[in-house]
Amino acid sequence: MFAKNAWYVAATPDEVDAKPLGRTICGEKIVFYRGPEGRVAALEDWCPHRGAPLSLGRVVEGRLVCGYHGLEMGCDGKTVAMPGQRVRGFPPVRSFPVIEKSGFIWVWTGDAAQASEDQLPELHWADNKEWAFGGGLYHIACDYRLMIDNLMDLTHETYVHTTSIGQPEIDETPCKTTIDGDHAVTSRFMNGIQAPPFWRMALRANGLPDDQPVDRWQICRFSPPSQVHIEVGVALAGRGGYDAPKQDKAYSIVVDFLTPETETTMWYFWGMARNFRPDDKALTAQIREGQGKIFAEDLQMLECQQANLSKWAGRDVLKLNIDAGGVQARKVIERLVAAERSTLSV
């Protein structure tokens, strides 16, 4: 279940270079490539001649050339040329609204008439020199909503991430979930605790001692259609916690864009934005490596969970108080999908 009238992260700019990129987004097979002046275009991954995937072709002077018989496509989905053939009567393929912004390539898989750049999320850290960002991409064989559940309930850190960010205090500290329209926020604040390994490293990187008690916070924010941004950090205990001065804390935003591929597979664009030592590329690489290992631990659990849910499809799962954030996020998704379906049925 996923909404189509929405912007999804489809790729990072480096993935769409001299060659076309084929990727399935929300069940749609799409080819991404750079047309004239390097602008990204997105077409249905289907050659109107014989149905070959256009993503197996090449880009020549801004035109997408099919790798089967040389048919050339324009960015609007119309056939431009083909060796020895008149192509004016060829049926066009579907083109998708696509935007390259804030370090990502976004695609709209629903009604193109409803797509507006104003609907893209505002990423205040993306073009800010005081912030650094490093991230990556995982393909995961699970329903993207399982990852939303995972990110909106960080209680699992105590058990899945025992050597990096997990600690007993997460289990012992209640979380609070609030709703603001189509946004859900789950927060947890832990005061006077010892920092786990990942955050001890972050404290040292910010020139702070790693052996003193800290105040730690986790603020998970879900935004439709499938984004979860998590404000995380630690501050030296008694300095104000979340509101502590910059020099007394290590603070970051965990960035999660969850893009459905099919009903049971997804593309996971992950990363971390930080506002301390933004020019330190070695630190960015170190954090990226550590975060990548943390998310890899989630990957195995989620794929096995999906396998179980598929095997016992009719079986109910329990909902506890720690699941409130994920439950509310799913309700938002259900409302969006229901609204789309009601429009189509009119």
Side-chain angles (χ1 to χ4, degrees), residues 187-239:
S187 56
R188 178 184 276 111
F189 297 90
M190 297 158 279
N191 298 325
I193 64 174
Q194 292 298 314
F198 179 87
W199 284 110
R200 289 203 298 272
M201 178 274 292
L203 286 166
R204 293 193 299 271
N206 204 26
L208 294 169
D210 67 353
D211 58 351
Q212 295 183 17
V214 298
D215 298 332
R216 183 183 179 187
W217 60 91
Q218 301 169 325
I219 306 173
C220 312
R221 304 179 189 276
F222 166 82
S223 299
S226 55
Q227 304 159 25
V228 180
H229 293 175
I230 310 175
E231 293 185 79
V232 292
V234 293
L236 297 179
R239 305 290 180 89

Side-chain angles (χ1 to χ4, degrees), residues 151-168:
L151 294 167
M152 293 299 289
D153 167 29
L154 297 183
T155 305
H156 75 275
E157 288 184 357
T158 305
Y159 307 96
V160 180
H161 309 300
T162 56
T163 62
S164 53
I165 54 178
Q167 59 185 136

Side-chain angles (χ1 to χ4, degrees), residues 96-335:
F96 296 85
V98 61
I99 295 175
E100 184 173 350
K101 187 177 182 180
S102 301
F104 298 97
I105 293 172
W106 308 77
V107 69
W108 183 282
T109 59
D111 180 4
Q114 297 187 41
S116 169
E117 187 172 346
D118 295 339
Q119 295 168 281
L120 285 172
E122 185 65 35
L123 307 180
H124 68 84
W125 45 265
D127 299 308
N128 190 327
K129 293 182 179 179
E130 295 183 2
W131 289 76
F133 176 80
L137 169 64
Y138 284 139
H139 180 264
I140 307 179
C142 78
D143 184 329
Y144 76 106
R145 293 174 298 174
L146 295 182
M147 180 59 87
I148 293 176
D149 296 342
N150 172 282
L151 294 167
M152 293 299 289
D153 167 29
L154 297 183
T155 305
H156 75 275
E157 288 184 357
T158 305
Y159 307 96
V160 180
H161 309 300
T162 56
T163 62
S164 53
I165 54 178
Q167 59 185 136
E169 288 84 357
I170 296 175
D171 236 1
E172 298 164 0
T173 308
C175 57
K176 178 182 179 182
T177 296
T178 58
I179 310 300
D180 181 12
D182 285 341
H183 302 265
V185 180
T186 295
S187 56
R188 178 184 276 111
F189 297 90
M190 297 158 279
N191 298 325
I193 64 174
Q194 292 298 314
F198 179 87
W199 284 110
R200 289 203 298 272
M201 178 274 292
L203 286 166
R204 293 193 299 271
N206 204 26
L208 294 169
D210 67 353
D211 58 351
Q212 295 183 17
V214 298
D215 298 332
R216 183 183 179 187
W217 60 91
Q218 301 169 325
I219 306 173
C220 312
R221 304 179 189 276
F222 166 82
S223 299
S226 55
Q227 304 159 25
V228 180
H229 293 175
I230 310 175
E231 293 185 79
V232 292
V234 293
L236 297 179
R239 305 290 180 89
Y242 177 82
D243 296 313
K246 185 176 179 179
Q247 66 270 19
D248 292 331
K249 64 183 177 182
Y251 162 73
S252 300
I253 300 175
V254 178
V255 178
D256 305 284
F257 292 111
L258 319 176
T259 299
E261 180 185 45
T262 68
E263 294 288 353
T264 55
T265 59
M266 62 168 287
W267 300 102
Y268 180 25
F269 296 87
W270 54 266
M272 179 174 281
R274 73 176 191 282
N275 68 345
F276 59 91
R277 291 173 58 183
D279 297 326
D280 191 333
K281 294 183 179 180
L283 178 60
T284 299
Q286 181 183 4
I287 291 176
R288 181 186 180 280
E289 180 182 3
Q291 191 184 22
K293 291 178 179 178
I294 291 170
F295 288 148
E297 293 169 346
D298 286 313
L299 190 152
Q300 179 184 19
M301 180 63 73
L302 290 167
E303 290 191 337
C304 291
Q305 181 186 10
Q306 179 64 63
N308 263 2
L309 291 172
S310 297
K311 179 177 176 60
W312 289 291
R315 214 163 179 175
D316 290 333
V317 295
L318 300 177
K319 294 181 178 63
L320 308 177
N321 60 340
I322 57 175
D323 303 316
V327 169
Q328 293 301 325
R330 285 181 178 240
K331 288 181 178 179
V332 171
I333 294 169
E334 289 169 3
R335 288 199 300 270

